[in-house]
Amino acid sequence: PRCMLAEFDGPSIIDARIWESEHFVATINRSGLGYSDGTGGQSDIVATLRPSAFGIATFEFMRDASGVPKATNIAIIGGETPGRQTVPRSELFGAIVLITRVHSNVVARLGIDASYVTNVAYNRARIEKGAIGDLWGLFFTLLEFRQAEITIQEVSSHIEKEGAKTIELGFAEFVDIIGNSLADEAAELSALLRPDQP
């Protein structure tokens, strides 16, 4: 039946569950680094029943005495996508949750691999009226409340295997490869596991 083709509606924004590791807020406010990603869920589940999810990662990035890069104090957030279960909603809701965790006075750099999230400033009026306008309105409102600069940068996704080459050629930063990989893994685990904790 045609009604079976409709997309799965998820929880409301208020009821969407979010799982956050301890010290996430403290870590992101110290490091100023955050990454978010979204997923359409497990491909082996029929799309009409598949829950979408988002994942967020933060960590402190430094080089040790010999110059080797290190990511420490890794913290993640995962959660359900509110409303229609689509990847664009997952990506955008992840970015929204990420922005809410950064104190308004902290200068931050956020990495997101979805260009439709990172390139929105030019189309605000149009996209707030679109299919996911409810989330875009929330996104822009949060940005307006910020006092410190926040950079939302598009990062390359799924390049872990080519990481060294992409860094060498200047297409990616080591920190972005780590951040995007962690956020992607958090999103996939959120779609799969759905912990019972609120």
Side-chain angles (χ1 to χ4, degrees):
R2 183 172 283 295
C3 66
M4 295 289 286
L5 298 176
E7 300 216 18
F8 173 68
D9 282 334
S12 69
I13 282 182
I14 295 169
D15 295 328
R17 295 179 302 166
I18 297 173
W19 307 280
E20 186 169 330
S21 63
E22 196 173 347
H23 307 298
F24 185 94
V25 171
T27 302
I28 196 166
N29 286 315
R30 264 193 322 270
S31 73
L33 289 173
Y35 295 85
S36 69
D37 204 353
T39 181
Q42 293 176 258
S43 60
D44 60 339
I45 296 175
V46 68
T48 55
L49 301 175
R50 182 185 320 159
S52 297
F54 69 89
I56 302 171
T58 188
F59 51 91
E60 293 181 77
F61 183 74
M62 62 193 73
R63 294 186 183 273
D64 66 16
S66 60
V68 176
K70 287 178 92 171
T72 62
N73 298 323
I74 297 170
I76 62 166
I77 296 176
E80 297 176 318
T81 302
R84 292 186 64 207
Q85 299 296 288
T86 65
V87 174
R89 287 186 69 85
S90 297
E91 297 269 8
L92 182 54
F93 195 62
I96 289 168
V97 173
L98 177 57
I99 291 168
T100 66
R101 298 313 194 266
V102 182
H103 191 280
S104 64
N105 291 326
V106 171
V107 175
R109 180 179 177 274
L110 309 181
I112 301 169
D113 66 8
S115 61
Y116 52 85
V117 175
T118 59
N119 298 331
V120 297
Y122 310 107
N123 302 312
R124 180 175 178 175
R126 182 177 58 84
I127 62 175
E128 283 185 313
K129 294 176 185 169
I132 56 176
D134 58 328
L135 295 181
W136 282 119
L138 181 56
F139 178 83
F140 287 121
T141 300
L142 289 169
L143 289 178
E144 288 170 0
F145 280 108
R146 293 201 49 80
Q147 295 172 12
E149 181 181 342
I150 192 166
T151 303
I152 300 175
Q153 182 173 343
E154 184 176 356
V155 296
S156 298
S157 62
H158 311 292
I159 59 170
E160 295 81 11
K161 291 179 182 167
E162 299 86 19
K165 190 72 162 170
T166 58
I167 292 168
E168 194 175 291
L169 295 173
F171 292 121
E173 298 281 334
F174 187 71
V175 67
D176 294 336
I177 293 171
I178 294 170
N180 184 257
S181 296
L182 290 169
D184 182 57
E185 189 65 26
E188 293 297 332
L189 288 172
S190 293
L192 177 65
L193 299 177
R194 301 286 177 171
D196 290 332
Q197 65 188 20

